[in-house]
Amino acid sequence: MAVGPGSGAAALRWIDGTLASRPGCLAAAVALGAGGCLVGLRDGRVVEATGPGGAQGPERAAAVVYAYLRAGLPLTGTASLRVDGRPGEDFVLRVRAPEGTTGRG
């Protein structure tokens, strides 16, 4: 997993560039300036993840997406992340519609 800053189109370019330059990387996560995160996957999907107040870090969003992938769950709906036994933080996951060819795959 790789994590970087970004917003909008710049975030998607960063995701594409990161996955292209790191062949073993499954996901690249970016915090958006307006809140929430994008998690780009090696297969070309991009998942939008928003947490409470929209201010969750990309590391946590990527962890939730990875756990869903490992469990074979669909990347939609609400997920709860529990860290160090603290109460869960809810994330809303939504796969974004494709915005053109990404070159990943």
Side-chain angles (χ1 to χ4, degrees), residues 1-50:
M1 177 184 76
V3 178
S7 63
L12 294 173
R13 284 192 302 274
W14 185 87
I15 287 170
D16 283 343
T18 299
L19 292 173
S21 67
R22 293 172 174 82
C25 187
L26 173 68
V30 178
L32 298 174
C37 303
L38 294 181
V39 181
L41 303 176
R42 170 76 46 203
D43 66 9
R45 290 178 290 174
V46 176
V47 180
E48 187 174 341
T50 54

Side-chain angles (χ1 to χ4, degrees), residues 60-104:
R60 290 182 176 182
V64 169
V65 170
Y66 180 74
Y68 264 50
L69 288 171
R70 293 286 299 172
L73 298 170
L75 294 170
T76 59
T78 301
S80 186
L81 173 67
R82 192 170 198 155
V83 179
D84 293 330
R86 288 180 277 150
E89 298 175 46
D90 291 334
F91 284 82
V92 177
L93 304 178
R94 180 178 69 87
V95 177
R96 280 189 161 196
E99 295 184 18
T101 306
T102 62
R104 286 181 266 146

